[in-house]
Amino acid sequence: MFRLLQVNATDPQTLHRELQQQLPAPASLLIATGNVASLQALGGLDLPQQFSANWIACSSCIGAASSFGVDTATDRRLTLLALTDPAGSYGVASVKQISGQISQQAADTVLAAIAMAQRPAELPGLIWCMQAPGFEEQIISGIQQVVGDQVPILGGSAADDDVSGQWCQYDGKTLGSDLLVIAVLYPTVPVSSYFSSGYSTGKFSGVVTAVNDRQIMQIDGKPALQVYNRWLQQAGEAPLQPGVVMSQSTFHPIGRQLSARDVPFSLLSLPTNAGDDGSIRLLAELQCGDQISLMHGSKQQLVRRAAHVVQVAANNLRLQHDTAPAAALIVYCAGCMLAVRDEIHQVQQSLTDSLPDLPYLVAFTYGEQGCFADGFNRHGNLMISAVLFGQTK
């Protein structure tokens, strides 16, 4: 039912030939990732309709990881997880994102995907989305206008190697830099997921008191950068100067403090720019009144965390459905990957140890979507998610 493929994407012709060789019959759903260069080869494909109907793909920072190993920046390989489930139903739809219309576009697109799956009166078991970065909260809101908050929404935002905007998405026919691609899954096997981070909550916290879109203007009534820098200095770290700060803040993101069944957890937002006006720009939205904390991460935590997330999802699969995993889709933040780039093979090996002899696919993304223990879908940064598919009974 699950098969992992890896094809040479040096050019569209080679990619087309290897796809036909490795995938002689159409799959129910193809989920693919690779670096920007490998995704760009998809733009020249001219696949028959039966092979292009249910594709969902996005570019991954530097490369991708899988049960085959870890790709590098120079690799031109595309890795695909093929799901073949004739008794299930799957649908994919896409749209070019337009600012100011995102929520409605997401609602319309998930309806189109459900229509493609020919299950108009049923909620999917899982929604997988891949999109250009920037509007993820609005996308989740739009999808939930249609399906409510009971369907897990997971996926990741397309990435490039240097945040220059070269990321791309693919829907089986169209390659674009600003697409929202949504897949709805009605599988015949059980599914389990887990969404978490590899960071610890520090002792410095405050309340967001002024925001402007994805910019925090004030914390506790004072300029956000002033408060954040005070926290850093109290933690023994150097303060940030105005400008691009993403690499300096990777181990000290801002965590929105939440709880589920009285168990606290954090949703992370990564500072990308510090403004001369004292603002901090993030890759995720915060609201006035949000309780936030300075988070702490380390290479050791980030190396270990991916396997932990997979193990929790596998335990949930066994407890809830009495089955073992058969395949996995994993999203690992690109910022985390870059922070542990020299140790990324350790991350991949830990996943292989947790999923012995099983196919799995890992994308390194510029934003992660997932469902927390409280049942709500959210978008965050520096997060890790895992979707595990159970075995056929």
Side-chain angles (χ1 to χ4, degrees):
M1 180 174 178
F2 302 96
R3 184 181 176 192
L4 194 70
L5 316 174
Q6 197 166 66
V7 294
N8 186 335
T10 52
D11 57 77
Q13 294 74 27
T14 302
L15 177 57
H16 186 281
R17 182 177 65 252
E18 293 200 4
L19 276 174
Q20 289 190 315
Q21 290 173 348
Q22 295 193 41
L23 194 70
S28 304
L29 180 67
L30 283 169
I31 301 174
T33 193
N35 60 20
V36 170
S38 68
L39 261 290
Q40 287 174 341
L42 290 168
L45 279 185
D46 184 19
L47 292 172
Q49 172 66 24
Q50 67 267 30
F51 286 94
S52 63
N54 283 334
W55 270 80
I56 179 168
C58 80
S59 55
S60 172
C61 182
I62 305 298
S66 69
S67 44
F68 289 137
V70 180
D71 295 339
T72 69
T74 58
D75 290 327
R76 293 288 296 272
R77 292 193 292 261
L78 190 72
T79 308
L80 309 92
L81 183 65
L83 286 71
T84 303
D85 185 12
S89 296
Y90 301 82
V92 175
S94 69
V95 68
K96 181 178 179 179
Q97 297 177 181
I98 301 174
S99 179
Q101 303 178 31
I102 301 297
S103 184
Q104 186 59 53
Q105 286 185 312
D108 293 342
T109 303
V110 76
L111 280 171
I114 291 171
M116 287 291 293
Q118 299 182 342
R119 302 285 278 267
E122 299 177 53
L123 291 177
L126 173 73
I127 293 173
W128 185 262
C129 55
M130 291 178 156
Q131 61 279 314
F135 303 104
E136 292 90 346
E137 290 90 354
Q138 297 172 51
I139 289 169
I140 291 173
S141 175
I143 292 172
Q144 292 188 156
Q145 290 176 27
V146 175
V147 301
D149 57 10
Q150 301 303 307
V151 179
I153 302 170
L154 289 102
S157 306
D160 56 17
D161 296 351
D162 53 8
V163 203
S164 59
Q166 298 183 70
W167 49 69
C168 45
Q169 310 83 38
Y170 183 69
D171 65 359
K173 303 178 184 67
T174 302
L175 180 74
S177 62
D178 53 4
L179 297 181
L180 163 63
V181 191
I182 295 177
V184 294
L185 288 71
Y186 300 82
T188 57
V189 297
V191 177
S192 174
S193 65
Y194 189 58
F195 187 47
S196 182
S197 81
Y199 290 73
S200 303
T201 305
K203 60 182 179 180
F204 307 112
S205 62
V207 176
V208 176
T209 49
V211 296
N212 179 18
D213 191 25
R214 287 186 168 184
Q215 280 183 299
I216 305 178
M217 309 305 296
Q218 293 182 356
I219 301 171
D220 294 335
K222 298 177 182 178
L225 183 58
Q226 175 186 327
V227 176
Y228 181 81
N229 276 339
R230 186 179 73 242
W231 291 348
L232 286 177
Q233 290 175 299
Q234 290 174 319
E237 303 292 336
L240 301 182
Q241 301 301 316
V244 178
V245 298
M246 189 159 61
S247 60
Q248 299 100 300
S249 62
T250 296
F251 288 117
H252 297 283
I254 289 172
R256 179 183 170 195
Q257 300 307 308
L258 303 165
S259 66
R261 302 179 185 91
D262 298 323
V263 177
F265 61 92
S266 300
L267 179 66
L268 305 191
S269 299
L270 177 64
T272 61
N273 297 80
D276 292 323
D277 59 357
S279 66
I280 300 174
R281 178 168 289 279
L282 308 170
L283 285 177
E285 292 180 10
L286 289 175
Q287 306 296 327
C288 285
D290 283 345
Q291 181 79 31
I292 60 172
S293 298
L294 182 71
M295 306 295 292
H296 298 275
S298 68
K299 285 190 175 184
Q300 292 78 13
Q301 286 174 297
L302 298 183
V303 168
R304 294 194 302 261
R305 194 65 181 184
H308 171 76
V309 169
V310 166
Q311 289 159 8
V312 172
N315 289 339
N316 290 341
L317 194 62
R318 293 185 180 93
L319 289 172
Q320 297 170 9
H321 303 287
D322 191 27
T323 186
L329 285 169
I330 300 163
V331 172
Y332 189 95
C333 171
C336 294
M337 183 275 292
L338 292 172
V340 298
R341 188 171 178 182
D342 292 341
E343 294 83 13
I344 196 62
H345 287 278
Q346 296 179 36
V347 177
Q348 188 270 343
Q349 186 59 54
S350 72
L351 291 171
T352 297
D353 293 342
S354 299
L355 299 164
D357 302 318
L358 298 182
Y360 66 85
L361 178 62
V362 185
F364 303 121
T365 58
Y366 281 164
E368 299 74 51
Q369 297 80 53
C371 185
F372 275 114
D374 62 357
F376 290 98
N377 296 295
R378 294 184 175 91
H379 162 71
N381 310 136
L382 303 172
M383 307 294 290
I384 305 167
S385 75
V387 174
L388 267 60
F389 297 94
Q391 296 182 4
T392 304
K393 294 186 176 182

